[in-house]
Amino acid sequence: MDKNQISIVFRTFFVILVVLFSSSVMAQQKYVIDNSNPFWDKVQFGGGLGLGIGSGYTDISVMPSAIYNVNEIVAVGVGLQFGYLSSKNYYSSFVYGGSLVGLVNPIPEIQLSAELEQVRVNTDYKSTAYRPSYSDNYWNTALYLGAGYRTGSVTIGARYDVLYNKDTSLYGSGFMPFVRVYF
């Protein structure tokens, strides 16, 4: 091999090395490790508490829930419900179950909602002069459509159970006012 051939081989080898090295340097990407979890940044927790006490009547309820804000307009979530109702010398009832929630905010101040609720109702009726004591256990399904005024994390509004049946529903009316809070 003469000097020109060796020179050509070294130049070619040098050019190949430079091209490979420069392309690998340009192909390197800067990787940033992100330890934050953007999912949890979009989750809000809230729910409701209820307490009604009257002459021989008690109604206690706890309804925690969580929503995931898909974007500024739409949120979806789940909820739980636990309740105790009692009417002195008439009945006592335990209610528990869950719900799926969908919220839409067409403008920041207005919130439209749809909630599918499935609860188990276990009621024990006390005996009276007219009837013996007995138990009634059943599932109650409700589909609420509602609207409310939203300011910050609080929404005040009303909802209606479109599946309401006065003979089988857990509640005395299909129409219900609500206060919804999420943090």
Side-chain angles (χ1 to χ4, degrees):
M1 230 186 205
D2 70 4
K3 286 185 175 184
N4 282 341
Q5 288 178 334
I6 294 175
S7 175
I8 292 173
V9 169
F10 277 117
R11 284 184 189 160
T12 306
F13 182 71
F14 180 75
V15 168
I16 292 171
L17 281 178
V18 168
V19 169
L20 288 175
F21 181 74
S22 65
S23 65
S24 69
V25 168
M26 296 178 84
Q28 287 182 358
Q29 297 177 0
K30 183 177 180 182
Y31 292 99
V32 177
I33 297 173
D34 184 7
N35 289 330
S36 68
N37 189 341
F39 174 82
W40 291 108
D41 292 341
K42 295 182 176 185
V43 174
Q44 291 181 284
F45 296 97
L49 297 172
L51 178 63
I53 299 175
S55 178
Y57 178 79
T58 304
D59 180 357
I60 302 169
S61 59
V62 177
M63 299 160 288
S65 63
I67 59 170
Y68 175 77
N69 294 295
V70 176
N71 54 39
E72 291 181 4
I73 298 172
V74 177
V76 293
V78 295
L80 296 174
Q81 180 173 342
F82 306 97
Y84 172 74
L85 292 97
S86 175
S87 182
K88 186 177 179 182
N89 298 324
Y90 186 59
Y91 72 90
S92 62
S93 183
F94 290 94
V95 178
Y96 54 92
S99 62
L100 300 174
V101 180
L103 304 173
V104 176
N105 301 299
I107 60 173
E109 295 81 15
I110 300 296
Q111 185 176 84
L112 305 176
S113 63
E115 181 174 0
L116 179 63
E117 177 184 89
Q118 180 76 44
V119 294
R120 180 73 176 172
V121 181
N122 298 327
T123 305
D124 292 320
Y125 293 93
K126 296 175 176 59
S127 63
T128 67
Y130 305 107
R131 68 170 179 355
S133 63
Y134 68 98
S135 295
D136 189 15
N137 302 312
Y138 62 95
W139 287 98
N140 185 72
T141 303
L143 177 59
Y144 295 102
L145 300 179
Y149 174 75
R150 186 175 85 153
T151 177
S153 60
V154 178
T155 304
I156 299 170
R159 63 186 191 165
Y160 182 76
D161 179 7
V162 297
L163 302 178
Y164 178 75
N165 179 332
K166 68 178 181 164
D167 297 326
T168 60
S169 181
L170 171 64
Y171 306 108
S173 171
F175 177 77
M176 295 179 132
F178 69 82
V179 176
R180 188 179 291 135
V181 180
Y182 284 106
F183 301 98

